[in-house]
Amino acid sequence: MPSSEESSLSGGRGQVETEVPRSWIITRLDFLVNWARRNSLWPMPFGTACCAIEMMGSAASKYDIARFGMERMSFSPRQADCMIVAGRVAYKMAPVMRRVWDQMTQPKWCISMGACASTGGVFDTYTMVQGIDTIVPVDVYVPGCPPRPEGLIYALMMIQEKIKGESIADPRSREEDPEGAGQPQLSPEEVELIAGPFGNSTFQNRVSGLDSSSPLIRPGDRKEQRHK
Amino acid sequence: MTGTTTPSTPAQVRQVPAPRPDVEEMRSRIGVAVRGVEYDAAGDPILYVDPERNVEVLAHLKGSEGGSYDLLRDITGLDLGGGHPIYVVYDLWSTAEGRPLRVKAQLRADRPRLASACDLWRAANWLEREVYDMFGVTFQGHPDLRRILMPENYEEGYPLQKDFPLRGRFTRAEQTRRAMSMALDDVYSMEELVTAGSGGEDGLPELARRQMAQTPGVTARAAPSELAGAGAGRDDDIETRNMLINIGPQHPATHGVLRLVCELDGERIVGCTPHIGYLHSGFEKLSEYRTWNQVITLTDRMDYLAPMMFNVGYALAVEKLLDVEITPRCKVIRVICCELNRILSHLLWLGTTAIDIGAFTPFLYTYQERERIYNLHEAYTGARMTTSVTRIGGMMADVPPGWLDGVREFVETFPRTLAEVDALLTRNSIWIGRTQGIGVIGAEEAINYGLCGPNLRASGVPHDVRRDRPYLDYETYDFDVPIGELGDTYDRYLVRMEEMRQSIRILEQALERVPDGPINVADSRVILPPKSETMNSIDGMIAHFKLVMEGLKVPAGEVWYSIESSKGELGFYIVADGGPKPVRCRYRTPSFMNMAVLPRLVEGELLADMIAVNASIDIVLGEIDR
Ligand code: SF4
């Protein structure tokens, strides 16, 4: 660290200035680290479906996320900082996603892009993970189906905001639990809680307005039910 | 096989009073194996065959002189639930005569079994695997009957059977637990593990060894040094063995979540197995739980590269079932939507393929143009990609003022960009070196594999649904169907480039002729009456009330309707029972058919060429996996 005497010499005496030609600044280490981290976030594009096309759109000529220091799409998880899960994730894909996340080195962040990644979206079906936060931790959720590129860029900026508040003196947020590798993020009870059916359409049957999900009930059965 | 001899689906099929002579003649030729003939909503014949003799009938249909049904378009299942039998439905097309034929076999619901048609068509391989995966129908004689979309260790049942609940049989927590505890042999097939452990059993993981011990007839391949003749002609001191590499499902060059397991001899590909289903979302099941118009929002999430085409195709199929004739203005607007989307999709293909082969610049060019089409989408529908632009009987709305001028401006300026990309690539020696003579497939084989769209045409088969079975009045437009000669990667590139130019031609003509008049049909069965009528007349009010409360009702029947999407023939097999929701929505997606040919195309090629070939068949995983 430069001494306080030196730093006060910046004005007036030209001799010192030539000796130390502005090659140093004083800053907090946290600020410096965070500044570096947040302006070179390398995304790990985990694109699966429609949202991935918008993610590509964000990287292409018009939206150009390179303006925010994210131009290097890192297809290798080991060199990536921020996983962008864009699109729906099937159960068959879930272990792959977890593996990619485990392979990323700390510090790392995760964006869940789109309704499907965040909640399962319209696909409350037998194959779909109902929200990737059951499998990996998520920092920012981007709503939309698909979110516009501006939405994704905003999410990346929110991650940048988040990084600003971090401190390297506090290792808690960056701790890795080797036991957790390959395991779902949430406990079975929590998964049940957040992945349970909600909303109108999940109760729909082949005949509108029924609250059973058995598809065998036909219009005739409906009348019977009412008479009961 | 016991069962009724009179075929009758509960989803009753309309009878065409006069039986078609050619069908009757065919029926008498085949004899007793055909149990009945019906006609669907589009007037296409359906043969009901004896399930014991399905292959015999299919072989006859394929081989018959003159009117040979040589192209297998689809195999799918149909379960009506409630103890009714399961059907397996084959859809055939005659390239010479240009007409379709459907063959149905009725199976017992408790133990559905059928002989495999793999010997007749290579295309049957994946299609039958899908029927097995979704309906539990066992195909005897199938070379590789495994699940295809669901994971290998899936134990909840067969999702498309009617009594299978939409959200699966297990709880979400259990489904998550099972997904996360998949073992190695759930992810690799037996043969792959055998190759991986080709140093003998020691190279194999524990689980695989155990399973191998239980599987009769499978043993670990001996280390190559023990094989006589292996390494002959090479340096005998060097022990070589084939290597297994896994590409995907998370890999930038697979265009989505496709997983390819390749067996390599040095740089050469000895065998390649695509594993799909990593994006299986249950579209077909979900469609059975949504009303007819709600399904439209699902269709554009299948092929997100050309969403409007899916919207249009689905709407056309349902309109066929309803027997609704859409307005002239709607027809032209739909053509404009379709052709814009053909360009949209081909542009993405062009940009990403160029990246795969090593040219980054075209990607930026093409995305620039895609953004302009997205802007048109947005101006019309409010969404950039998930457009949901059609409704049964019309469009979501008439086009906004000035929109057609926007299209016109695009049509005028786009050819310039296309010419620039063309100048960058078509005569570029690197491009030619990477694409010419790579991944070649001839016409006859392409038909056998069920290839479709630009891939089929690149092999020299001039099959284009817009020509052979026109919809939306395509026969009145003047356009060429480009075909290739060799069927290599370069031909597939040229065909798509030319298709974009032809799309521009169609767009020019369509813009010329957009007629005035209403965009939606004036049919209160399908389209809400105008507000003024709802408010002021009792008829209008009743119509409005019925449509809102009961929903659109489609009369019982079925139809197999196809359009030419950007990737190939996109078929909709839709069965209705008169209710407000479909009984079965089968999406026969072109990429699924095209994908199955990849192992054949890349065999013996270099690994690097596989990336180029895979890119050139233009797949979109959302559509393959559904
Ligand atoms: S959120 Fe919408 S756009 Fe994104 S993957 Fe899901 S369906 Fe597709």
Side-chain angles (χ1 to χ4, degrees):
Chain A
M1 285 291 268
S3 74
S4 60
E5 196 202 327
E6 275 173 332
S7 59
S8 69
L9 294 178
S10 50
R13 286 194 251 160
Q15 191 198 358
V16 180
E17 252 181 309
T18 47
E19 273 171 27
V20 190
R22 295 200 194 173
S23 56
W24 49 275
I25 51 163
I26 298 175
T27 179
R28 281 189 304 122
L29 191 54
D30 267 347
F31 177 82
L32 186 69
V33 168
N34 290 347
W35 170 80
R37 276 183 180 169
R38 74 172 185 267
N39 289 306
S40 65
L41 271 177
W42 287 358
M44 160 75 221
F46 193 90
T48 57
C50 350
C51 281
I53 307 296
E54 282 298 58
M55 181 169 66
M56 284 163 69
S58 328
S61 12
K62 185 168 172 192
Y63 293 97
D64 193 11
I65 50 172
R67 294 176 293 156
F68 300 86
M70 290 132 193
E71 73 272 39
R72 189 189 175 277
M73 288 279 176
S74 171
F75 289 99
S76 150
R78 293 177 204 283
Q79 278 88 43
D81 304 305
C82 175
M83 178 162 83
I84 305 176
V85 181
R88 37 189 193 264
V89 177
Y91 282 117
K92 199 172 176 180
M93 194 69 185
V96 181
M97 181 173 66
R98 181 71 210 195
R99 174 72 76 90
V100 168
W101 175 252
D102 288 339
Q103 284 179 346
M104 285 168 65
T105 49
Q106 292 283 10
K108 57 187 177 184
W109 295 269
C110 175
I111 294 178
S112 158
M113 178 183 183
C116 289
S118 306
T119 67
V122 291
F123 301 100
D124 195 1
T125 59
Y126 53 95
T127 66
M128 278 290 135
V129 173
Q130 300 297 303
I132 59 159
D133 44 8
T134 56
I135 313 287
V136 293
V138 174
D139 289 284
V140 179
Y141 302 85
V142 194
C145 182
R148 300 176 56 93
E150 289 96 328
L152 180 62
I153 291 173
Y154 185 57
L156 285 164
M157 289 165 72
M158 281 175 84
I159 296 256
Q160 291 183 327
E161 268 317 298
K162 190 171 180 181
I163 295 172
K164 267 191 202 169
E166 287 187 1
S167 165
I168 50 169
D170 177 13
R172 266 174 312 172
S173 59
R174 298 280 147 241
E175 254 166 22
E176 278 275 1
D177 174 18
E179 296 282 297
Q183 298 301 318
Q185 182 65 17
L186 299 183
S187 71
E189 294 76 38
E190 288 167 318
V191 172
E192 275 307 303
L193 203 66
I194 76 163
F198 68 96
N200 236 347
S201 62
T202 50
F203 292 106
Q204 277 190 11
N205 190 341
R206 285 221 45 254
V207 179
S208 304
L210 284 172
D211 60 357
S212 151
S213 64
S214 156
L216 285 179
I217 299 174
R218 318 291 291 191
D221 309 333
R222 192 180 179 189
K223 264 187 220 113
E224 274 166 37
Q225 270 202 344
R226 215 176 273 149
H227 290 153
K228 265 181 216 158
Chain B
M1 170 88 201
T2 59
T4 51
T5 40
T6 41
S8 70
T9 24
Q12 247 186 35
V13 177
R14 281 167 251 216
Q15 295 285 342
V16 169
R20 267 181 26 195
D22 55 313
V23 178
E24 288 306 315
E25 193 256 337
M26 187 165 56
R27 180 184 181 174
S28 59
R29 225 172 340 121
I30 301 172
V32 288
V34 176
R35 292 177 169 179
V37 179
E38 278 175 351
Y39 295 88
D40 73 0
D44 295 335
I46 307 168
L47 297 187
Y48 284 82
V49 298
D50 182 348
E52 302 278 297
R53 301 170 65 181
N54 63 328
V55 173
E56 193 186 310
V57 175
L58 290 171
H60 188 94
L61 291 171
K62 186 188 175 209
S64 59
E65 287 298 309
S68 152
Y69 289 91
D70 48 355
L71 183 64
L72 176 70
R73 293 199 295 184
D74 194 13
I75 302 178
T76 190
L78 170 62
D79 182 10
L80 300 159
H84 287 294
I86 285 185
Y87 293 87
V88 169
V89 186
Y90 300 82
D91 197 273
L92 313 177
W93 176 265
S94 157
T95 43
E97 303 265 308
R99 46 172 199 226
L101 176 74
R102 206 136 70 245
V103 176
K104 270 191 182 180
Q106 191 186 42
L107 308 179
R108 262 169 45 188
D110 52 345
R111 249 175 76 223
R113 268 184 307 159
L114 202 61
S116 163
C118 279
D119 289 340
L120 294 173
W121 288 282
R122 306 298 286 266
N125 189 321
W126 275 29
L127 288 168
E128 285 179 355
R129 272 177 72 188
E130 196 191 337
V131 177
Y132 165 71
D133 192 359
M134 292 291 138
F135 290 91
V137 177
T138 327
F139 288 91
Q140 284 153 332
H142 190 288
D144 182 23
L145 198 64
R146 286 181 290 130
R147 285 198 182 259
I148 186 165
L149 296 175
M150 303 309 292
E152 197 79 342
N153 65 343
Y154 192 68
E155 277 173 14
E156 293 178 50
Y158 301 101
L160 280 180
Q161 288 182 352
K162 266 285 178 284
D163 56 359
F164 186 92
L166 175 62
R167 317 175 78 241
R169 290 219 163 89
F170 298 158
T171 60
R172 288 295 187 202
E174 175 65 7
Q175 285 171 341
T176 310
R177 190 192 68 74
R178 290 181 150 262
M180 298 303 285
S181 54
M182 244 182 251
L184 194 69
D185 51 351
D186 297 327
V187 191
Y188 287 93
S189 75
M190 216 55 236
E191 305 89 76
E192 287 160 4
L193 287 172
V194 171
T195 315
S198 60
E201 284 206 0
D202 297 344
L204 283 179
E206 169 63 27
L207 256 171
R209 233 178 302 156
R210 217 180 313 136
Q211 193 183 333
M212 198 181 291
Q214 288 162 5
T215 322
V218 180
T219 47
R221 203 180 288 175
S225 55
E226 298 162 21
L227 292 172
R234 299 203 202 118
D235 193 341
D236 280 338
D237 297 342
I238 301 175
E239 186 188 289
T240 63
R241 56 158 100 158
N242 286 353
M243 188 171 70
L244 198 72
I245 70 158
N246 174 68
I247 306 174
Q250 170 55 36
H251 190 279
T254 52
H255 292 225
V257 287
L258 168 69
R259 182 165 154 249
L260 301 166
V261 178
C262 298
E263 189 181 342
L264 298 179
D265 176 10
E267 282 275 308
R268 296 245 165 240
I269 295 175
V270 180
C272 162
T273 328
H275 292 249
I276 61 171
Y278 287 92
L279 191 56
H280 179 53
S281 329
F283 277 103
E284 292 180 7
K285 186 82 180 170
L286 193 56
S287 299
E288 295 170 14
Y289 291 76
R290 296 287 178 265
T291 60
W292 292 99
N293 267 319
Q294 279 175 331
V295 174
I296 291 173
T297 55
L298 297 179
T299 56
D300 47 32
R301 281 154 179 82
M302 242 177 297
D303 182 356
Y304 30 85
L305 304 181
M308 284 181 171
M309 282 194 174
F310 262 68
N311 298 160
V312 169
Y314 170 78
L316 283 172
V318 179
E319 281 151 12
K320 194 89 203 170
L321 260 180
L322 273 162
D323 205 10
V324 167
E325 178 75 17
I326 52 171
T327 63
R329 183 175 172 84
C330 182
K331 274 187 187 164
V332 179
I333 298 289
R334 282 186 182 180
V335 167
I336 293 177
C337 288
C338 277
E339 295 307 319
L340 268 183
N341 274 250
R342 193 180 311 280
I343 296 174
L344 185 74
S345 167
H346 282 2
L347 279 179
L348 185 106
W349 160 82
L350 182 59
T352 50
T353 306
I355 288 190
D356 284 349
I357 296 184
F360 191 74
T361 321
F363 173 75
L364 297 175
Y365 279 57
T366 56
Y367 249 79
Q368 200 88 32
E369 296 300 313
R370 278 175 60 86
E371 282 297 335
R372 292 171 61 199
I373 300 181
Y374 275 159
N375 286 344
L376 290 170
H377 277 182
E378 204 174 357
Y380 188 0
T381 69
R384 281 158 57 84
M385 188 188 295
T386 41
T387 50
S388 305
V389 69
T390 57
R391 294 292 180 271
I392 314 292
M395 305 297 270
M396 54 161 286
D398 205 340
V399 292
W403 191 76
L404 291 173
D405 295 330
V407 178
R408 202 163 286 133
E409 199 230 313
F410 175 80
V411 166
E412 277 159 17
T413 49
F414 171 67
R416 250 204 334 261
T417 316
L418 192 60
E420 277 174 340
V421 179
D422 187 83
L424 272 175
L425 296 178
T426 308
R427 267 174 285 285
N428 181 322
S429 60
I430 303 175
W431 185 262
I432 290 178
R434 288 297 305 275
T435 55
Q436 277 189 359
I438 309 287
V440 185
I441 187 163
E444 200 171 310
E445 214 180 348
I447 291 179
N448 197 300
Y449 268 101
L451 272 190
C452 54
N455 301 328
L456 181 64
R457 292 191 285 273
S459 296
V461 184
H463 177 48
D464 186 322
V465 188
R466 291 176 294 175
R467 264 288 156 73
D468 298 345
R469 201 146 215 244
Y471 52 95
L472 294 175
D473 295 341
Y474 263 111
E475 68 275 22
T476 60
Y477 294 87
D478 181 22
F479 67 100
D480 299 327
V481 177
I483 57 170
E485 285 169 5
L486 292 175
D488 60 357
T489 304
Y490 190 64
D491 269 353
R492 290 190 276 276
Y493 159 76
L494 287 182
V495 164
R496 289 205 181 83
M497 290 299 267
E498 185 56 32
E499 275 189 10
M500 282 193 264
R501 293 188 199 105
Q502 296 301 329
S503 289
I504 289 290
R505 263 178 84 188
I506 298 174
L507 278 172
E508 279 166 356
Q509 297 166 45
L511 285 169
E512 284 288 297
R513 65 163 84 156
V514 181
D516 289 332
I519 190 97
N520 290 342
V521 291
D523 184 341
S524 56
R525 278 186 308 154
V526 287
I527 293 278
L528 287 179
K531 266 281 177 288
S532 57
E533 222 171 277
T534 314
M535 295 302 188
N536 298 325
S537 83
I538 185 75
D539 289 345
M541 202 181 80
I542 290 174
H544 185 278
F545 180 83
K546 284 189 82 134
L547 208 50
V548 171
M549 296 309 290
E550 294 176 0
L552 178 78
K553 293 227 175 95
V554 175
E558 63 170 63
V559 72
W560 206 100
Y561 198 87
S562 67
I563 67 164
E564 185 71 30
S565 98
S566 57
K567 320 257 174 339
E569 183 166 13
L570 166 65
F572 294 87
Y573 175 55
I574 295 181
V575 183
D577 65 350
K581 292 175 187 178
V583 173
R584 172 99 174 95
C585 266
R586 155 77 179 164
Y587 308 113
R588 183 278 201 188
T589 47
S591 296
F592 184 86
M593 307 297 290
N594 290 337
M595 185 71 241
V597 80
L598 185 75
R600 151 73 187 75
L601 287 184
V602 299
E603 219 179 278
E605 304 282 3
L606 296 177
L607 180 62
D609 289 334
M610 189 194 74
I611 302 299
V613 172
N614 184 31
S616 80
I617 55 179
D618 190 17
I619 49 166
V620 47
L621 264 295
E623 190 198 69
I624 294 180
D625 292 346
R626 281 156 287 135

